[in-house]
Amino acid sequence: MPGDGIPTWEEVARQHGRFLYTLAYRLTGNDDDAQDLVQEVLLRVRRGLESYRPGSLEGWLSRITTNTFLDDVRRRGRRPVDYLPEEPDRVLPASDSADVASASARLPDHVQAAILGLPAEYRAAVVLCDVVGLPYDEISTALDVPVGTVRSRIHRGRALLRKALS
Amino acid sequence: VTPDHLGDVLSGLLDGELTPVEESDALAHLVGCVACRAELDGIRAVRLQVRSLPAVEPPAAFYRQVLPSSRPWWRDRRRSVVAAVAASAAASVLVLGA
């Protein structure tokens, strides 16, 4: 990345493709939706590069990605925070005692499934905090909600994950 | 969450997002509150599980299909017709050759 200048579109896509894909995959939980999401993000990035202020590029990309994701969820007619799975456990893969896959191989899928069981706005907050590693003030900017709301969403999301994974 | 317990302050504590005063108040509360200590342990464990998730390597198709759209606009415009013709020719070759 060239010092403190505005990155070119090509640099963003080439150097941050894996970062964007990982973020999109953690939010959507499958390859098709992750690729669609990244594609939409790249279009928005291309249109909005001039509004990028040198600083946290990953924070900026994370903001665009989560907003694109949340817009998509809303467009599909779900109300993100109100949508609560009745039984969080149902989103987990059925356990199969005959499955010989190692626990370590299964564990990430198990966690990913639990993340997908979260209401979209809690999911976005948890992913920005624990997958991307953004501080609360950057998450607040990304989601356009107060820092107190960020903390509340992260905590409620973790509490639901804890229930789903216990 | 009842005011007697820390609730989302626990996440703030784990994430290093409390002020020094809030942090010392929270730690003082934890000394005397079994319920909050248990919740802290549970939240800490899931936080670690999510933070331990690996980066996801995109499939090869991602680099072929998604990233090519990342060419600068000027190159896209100038080459879009040529690229479209080339792409459809390549597709025909693939279909015929399959």
Side-chain angles (χ1 to χ4, degrees):
Chain A
M1 196 178 308
D4 53 24
I6 295 176
T8 67
W9 163 241
E10 203 167 23
E11 285 166 345
V12 170
R14 205 174 44 231
Q15 296 174 13
H16 300 278
R18 192 166 94 152
F19 170 80
L20 285 172
Y21 183 83
T22 297
L23 178 54
Y25 188 89
R26 294 298 172 217
L27 288 168
T28 63
N30 70 82
D31 175 61
D32 282 349
D33 288 343
Q35 291 205 42
D36 286 350
L37 179 54
V38 174
Q39 202 143 28
E40 176 61 24
V41 167
L42 290 176
L43 287 173
R44 290 192 188 193
V45 166
R46 174 150 50 180
R47 288 197 295 262
L49 262 183
E50 66 276 11
S51 72
Y52 168 68
R53 289 186 304 279
S56 168
L57 181 62
E58 293 201 341
W60 183 70
L61 292 173
S62 301
R63 186 184 71 192
I64 295 173
T65 306
T66 45
N67 285 325
T68 306
F69 164 72
L70 290 172
D71 287 349
D72 189 49
V73 170
R74 291 183 189 116
R75 200 162 42 234
R76 291 181 195 188
R78 290 192 214 121
R79 299 174 61 196
V81 164
D82 291 351
Y83 170 68
L84 279 161
E86 288 169 20
E87 297 169 68
D89 302 279
R90 285 192 324 174
V91 303
L92 300 177
S95 66
D96 180 356
S97 56
D99 193 329
V100 291
S102 71
S104 63
R106 288 178 58 87
L107 193 58
D109 288 342
H110 194 64
V111 176
Q112 174 70 59
I115 291 172
L116 291 181
L118 296 178
E121 289 182 349
Y122 296 174
R123 197 189 315 168
V126 168
V127 166
L128 287 175
C129 183
D130 291 331
V131 173
V132 181
L134 294 182
Y136 287 5
D137 62 340
E138 286 193 44
I139 299 172
S140 161
T141 304
L143 298 178
D144 197 24
V145 295
V147 170
T149 305
V150 168
R151 186 169 85 182
S152 164
R153 287 184 186 176
I154 290 170
H155 191 72
R156 285 163 189 236
R158 285 174 179 163
L160 289 171
L161 288 178
R162 182 187 172 199
K163 205 183 290 178
L165 292 169
S166 62
Chain B
V1 178
T2 69
D4 299 341
H5 292 297
L6 292 173
D8 65 8
V9 169
L10 292 170
S11 279
L13 181 66
L14 289 172
D15 294 326
E17 294 276 357
L18 299 182
T19 65
V21 172
E22 288 171 329
E23 185 173 313
S24 64
D25 286 352
L27 293 175
H29 177 93
L30 281 168
V31 170
C33 184
V34 177
C36 283
R37 282 206 302 275
E39 189 180 357
L40 181 67
D41 287 345
I43 296 295
R44 181 191 283 125
V46 293
R47 178 180 181 274
L48 185 63
Q49 280 180 291
V50 177
R51 287 185 173 237
S52 303
L53 289 171
V56 187
E57 189 56 48
F62 175 78
Y63 292 104
R64 284 199 308 273
Q65 293 164 11
V66 178
L67 291 192
S69 68
S70 64
R71 277 178 302 217
W73 62 269
W74 52 269
R75 208 182 288 173
D76 267 4
R77 283 195 193 168
R78 221 185 277 174
R79 297 187 183 174
S80 58
V81 174
V82 176
V85 170
S88 74
S92 312
V93 168
L94 280 177
V95 169
L96 293 173

